[in-house]
Amino acid sequence: MSESEQRFGEFVVVRRYEHVAELVLDRPKAMNAVSTEMARSIAAACDALGADRDVRVTVLSSTHERAFCVGADLKERNSFSDAELVRQRPTARAAYTGVLELPMPTVAAVHGFALGGGFELALACDLIVADSTAVVGLPEVSVGVIPGGGGTQLLPRRVGAARAAELVYTARRVEAAEARQLGLVDQLVDDARTGALELAAQIAANSPVGLRAAKRAMRLGQGLDLRAGLEVEDAAWRSVAFSGDRAEGVAAFNEKRKPQWPGE
């Protein structure tokens, strides 16, 4: 499997393996706490990935042996004046929305702590793969704030309003087995990164046009009534029905061979 690597600032690396990209959080001295600089790098990496039509799936992972990401850099935040915190807010938001708005399917590989903004980065992905070391949670109310990277909106959509309320209001940490039981993670595997990359490779074998359209339909249709949701689906279907991928997929099926997706 061919591999290339691109660094975004000091704390973020993007690795590409054929049609799978890995966005790697790499601030080990701070357990990947998201500083202003790191937030800028995450957003920049997402901009680059979003524009890369060769990437069919993105995996979000960590280099730290005990943490996926422990959330916002509270040491940095403690040094901010109120005005500085207001100015920093758009930069922080851009990191989380950058992951959320990636156009291709995304898989989080959660190993160790994924707390606060760290868990929000995982929630911004379509699927969360974790291993037995995973500990997740949104503890923001315990330090006088609220989840600000999408947690109050993404968690209810994943597990329902009442369960999300209990987790946000108690600020409790949830270990791997319970996280899987509650639906906070989708798969428990022996090694989160390996499992996430294997899942990504399985997804990436499918049509890149189809994958992006399916994600768009599911994201845009979420929360709509059924009639409106079906209109969203129809628009997404029309965007792929006359594509080169559709023609190749049908031809490959009839010729009993593996598709060679044109990606258009």
Side-chain angles (χ1 to χ4, degrees):
M1 181 180 288
S2 60
E3 178 183 343
S4 65
E5 184 171 296
Q6 181 181 8
R7 183 165 284 277
F8 291 82
E10 185 178 355
F11 304 129
V12 174
V13 179
V14 170
R15 299 174 182 143
R16 290 174 171 83
Y17 316 90
E18 297 178 359
H19 296 296
V20 173
E22 184 180 13
L23 196 167
V24 186
L25 307 177
D26 186 30
R27 194 186 178 203
K29 291 182 180 179
M31 299 180 79
N32 290 328
V34 181
S35 63
T36 302
E37 180 186 348
M38 187 172 179
R40 287 196 188 99
S41 296
I42 292 171
C46 288
D47 283 344
L49 288 168
D52 190 340
R53 299 294 299 186
D54 286 335
V55 177
R56 299 179 188 173
V57 187
T58 295
V59 171
L60 182 61
S61 69
S62 162
T63 60
H64 199 281
E65 62 183 12
R66 293 192 295 114
F68 174 74
C69 173
V70 294
D73 186 340
L74 296 184
K75 290 183 179 179
E76 180 188 65
R77 293 279 179 92
N78 192 49
S79 70
F80 285 170
S81 66
D82 288 351
E84 288 170 333
L85 184 59
V86 169
R87 285 196 297 271
Q88 194 258 3
R89 175 62 175 163
T91 301
R93 284 195 69 186
Y96 299 103
T97 57
V99 175
L100 184 64
E101 295 176 359
L102 282 169
M104 74 290 290
T106 50
V107 182
V110 174
H111 176 84
F113 296 108
L115 300 173
F119 189 38
E120 288 174 303
L121 286 172
L123 289 170
C125 295
D126 298 300
L127 296 164
I128 302 175
V129 174
D131 57 35
S132 62
T133 68
V135 179
V136 305
L138 296 175
E140 283 86 349
V141 298
S142 70
V143 293
V145 292
I146 70 167
T152 66
Q153 305 305 305
L154 295 171
L155 188 59
R157 285 167 167 79
R158 172 173 272 274
V159 299
R163 183 162 287 165
E166 184 265 322
L167 293 166
V168 171
Y169 297 161
T170 63
R172 71 184 180 92
R173 299 180 178 190
V174 182
E175 295 187 358
E178 186 186 4
R180 177 67 183 91
Q181 181 183 14
L182 296 179
L184 300 174
V185 304
D186 301 301
Q187 293 185 12
L188 272 185
V189 297
D190 291 336
D191 180 83
R193 179 176 177 269
T194 299
L197 287 170
E198 288 175 352
L199 177 59
Q202 182 182 356
I203 295 169
N206 297 309
S207 158
V209 171
L211 289 171
R212 290 182 180 224
K215 176 168 180 171
R216 188 166 64 249
M218 288 189 285
R219 284 285 179 91
L220 294 178
Q222 197 166 52
L224 300 178
D225 64 63
L226 179 58
R227 186 180 297 273
L230 290 173
E231 290 302 315
V232 168
E233 181 183 80
D234 185 66
W237 179 86
R238 290 175 185 276
S239 74
V240 301
F242 310 103
S243 68
D245 274 15
R246 179 262 179 189
E248 168 61 12
V250 172
F253 176 83
N254 284 289
E255 295 166 15
K256 296 180 173 57
R257 61 174 174 80
K258 184 179 179 181
Q260 300 297 315
W261 303 114
E264 57 186 21

